[in-house]
Amino acid sequence: MKTVAEYRIQYSQILNEKNELNEPLPGWATAEWLQEAYQHMMLTRIFDQKAVALQRTGQMGTYPSCLGQEAVGVAIGMALADDDVFVPYYRDQGAYFLRNHKLEELLLYWGGDERGSSFGPKQDFPVCVPIATQVTHAAGAAAALKLKGESGCVMVTVGDGGTSKGDFMESLNVAGAWQLPLIVIVNNNQWAISVHRSIQCGAPTLAQKAIAAGIHGVQVDGNDVVATHEAILNAKEHADEHKGATLIEAISYRLADHTTADDASRYREADEVKRAWEIEPVKRLRQFLISLGWWTEAKEKDWTEQCQKQVEQAVARYLAFEEDTPESMFDHLYSEWPSVLDEQLDILHEKVERMTKRHTD
């Protein structure tokens, strides 16, 4: 008997849970870069808190918080180039804003208005709520880049629960078979709604799912914005050198409920959440910056006030959006208008007329 193959999954952490360095900072991680990353993470957190409040007061629909996962989104957004393609899932607020989406546009989306999906870089995909279907779309986009001989890569995100879907494994398989310029980032926040990571998959890591597909797989501390960004840069270089796809498993923790329609206290122990708060990414980076004299309480106060003002202004613009017409549901469905929609449009007009008459009588 002989061994035909052996594999190992490497784990990366640069800024550890004690706010100390395990190894020297990469050359790109300057004081300016770290401060910018922290500012984006803070803005994301303050926006997130406001979005939850809007839902609780009936001013927005169901919303998925990214509390505790800000480092993953910001690391992605700061790594993406203009010609890259971003295929997000529903917990990528930090990356979304760094792709030049305005705060009010994301509020518009979660407010139930599809116009919130029509902004940002033209090559990027809209927020995806169905689980793992976006990974298939991303593999297709990566195949298109390769066939056209275009530069850049496709970056797609998915939660740990999505790695159990067939869409996820099929996409990895084609990425390996075709050596696609694809980066798949798994935000392993430990809970797929109420299903814990430990009972969702028997493998010790989710990163090792890359092995069966013949692509590179690594695990990183997703609460460490430096290590996460470094892993993404390495994956981009891997793709640029035509070495194929990479799967990055970013270990984080969902500090909030799954969405505002969930109550995580029904299935999570309070002590577990308390321990997660002790190593969360925003606090970790803030303490590290302060220890080096690169951040102060005065800067913290000033930036917090700026973020709150920016968010409040965005909320005002969101609430000022005029409601779209019912007929808009038919827009952008077909490149050429099919006659079958004429009848449906007539039915809609009749229904709107009846409802308007009912409310005025």
Side-chain angles (χ1 to χ4, degrees):
M1 184 179 294
K2 65 178 181 179
T3 300
V4 296
E6 289 184 338
Y7 306 94
R8 62 172 58 179
I9 297 296
Q10 294 183 322
Y11 173 78
S12 175
Q13 182 190 63
I14 296 175
L15 180 59
N16 65 30
E17 293 89 346
K18 297 180 180 179
N19 317 317
E20 299 171 345
L21 293 175
N22 286 344
E23 57 187 79
L25 287 170
W28 52 262
T30 61
E32 291 75 19
W33 187 95
L34 291 167
Q35 289 176 67
E36 182 182 352
Y38 177 71
Q39 288 174 320
H40 286 304
M41 289 164 65
M42 275 290 291
L43 176 60
T44 301
R45 176 160 293 188
I46 291 172
F47 169 87
D48 190 77
Q49 292 169 343
K50 187 62 178 182
V52 172
L54 287 171
Q55 190 280 330
R56 297 305 191 207
T57 55
Q59 299 178 87
M60 201 174 72
T62 302
Y63 173 77
S65 172
C66 63
L67 184 65
Q69 297 146 92
E70 296 89 354
V72 177
V74 168
I76 292 170
M78 294 182 74
L80 285 167
D82 291 342
D83 58 351
D84 291 332
V85 180
F86 183 44
V87 186
Y89 87 133
Y90 49 80
R91 227 179 286 278
D92 285 319
Q93 289 89 325
Y96 212 64
F97 300 146
L98 280 159
R99 292 298 276 175
N100 295 319
H101 292 264
K102 297 177 181 178
L103 306 186
E104 61 266 27
E105 293 165 358
L106 191 55
L107 292 175
L108 192 65
Y109 175 82
W110 292 112
D113 193 323
E114 280 297 335
R115 288 177 295 177
S117 294
S118 62
F119 302 100
K122 64 180 181 179
Q123 77 272 21
D124 285 2
F125 284 57
V127 174
C128 185
V129 175
I131 306 302
T133 56
Q134 74 276 13
V135 190
T136 309
H137 305 155
L145 283 184
K146 184 171 183 177
L147 287 170
K148 294 178 180 180
E150 296 181 358
S151 62
C153 67
V154 178
M155 188 175 300
V156 61
T157 54
V158 64
D160 47 291
T163 65
S164 295
K165 295 291 294 295
D167 309 69
F168 176 82
M169 295 305 302
E170 291 160 11
S171 302
L172 290 194
N173 188 67
V174 74
W178 294 354
Q179 289 290 286
L180 298 181
L182 178 67
I183 302 172
V184 180
I185 299 184
V186 177
N187 181 359
N188 180 1
N189 63 23
Q190 310 305 314
W191 288 95
I193 308 183
S194 59
V195 179
H196 192 263
R197 158 69 182 89
S198 61
I199 60 175
Q200 181 201 156
C201 176
T205 73
L206 298 178
Q208 70 196 74
K209 295 193 176 191
I211 295 170
I215 67 174
H216 188 50
V218 297
Q219 191 182 73
V220 65
D221 181 354
N223 286 341
D224 175 2
V225 69
V226 181
T228 304
H229 189 77
E230 177 80 348
I232 295 169
L233 293 181
N234 291 339
K236 283 172 62 68
E237 183 178 359
H238 193 77
D240 289 342
E241 294 175 352
H242 307 290
K243 295 179 180 178
T246 298
L247 168 62
I248 301 172
E249 178 190 2
I251 307 297
S252 66
Y253 192 87
R254 195 192 78 216
L255 291 171
D257 298 326
H258 181 258
T259 70
T260 49
D262 176 43
D263 178 7
S265 65
R266 296 176 302 165
Y267 52 82
R268 292 199 307 201
E269 297 294 333
D271 287 346
E272 176 186 321
V273 181
K274 181 181 179 181
R275 288 193 298 271
W277 271 107
E278 294 172 355
I279 60 172
E280 59 95 353
V282 175
K283 175 184 174 183
R284 184 186 302 188
L285 183 54
R286 178 173 61 245
Q287 293 302 112
F288 177 68
L289 289 171
I290 290 174
S291 71
L292 294 178
W294 293 347
W295 196 253
T296 64
E297 292 300 328
K299 286 184 178 181
E300 178 76 9
K301 182 176 182 294
D302 180 65
W303 182 245
T304 299
E305 291 174 353
Q306 288 188 52
C307 289
Q308 290 171 340
K309 182 178 179 180
Q310 188 174 342
V311 169
E312 290 298 337
Q313 290 173 342
V315 170
R317 289 190 293 269
Y318 155 66
L319 295 175
F321 266 96
E322 292 186 9
E323 289 187 6
D324 212 351
T325 63
E327 293 84 356
S328 67
M329 73 173 73
F330 296 107
D331 294 342
H332 312 298
L333 295 178
Y334 298 93
S335 59
E336 296 182 8
W337 183 268
S339 58
V340 68
L341 289 186
D342 291 333
E343 181 182 0
Q344 295 182 36
L345 191 57
D346 290 339
I347 294 172
L348 173 65
H349 286 151
E350 292 173 4
K351 184 170 184 178
V352 170
E353 185 177 347
R354 287 198 307 272
M355 292 182 67
T356 302
K357 188 174 184 299
R358 184 184 306 165
H359 284 97
T360 56
D361 286 348

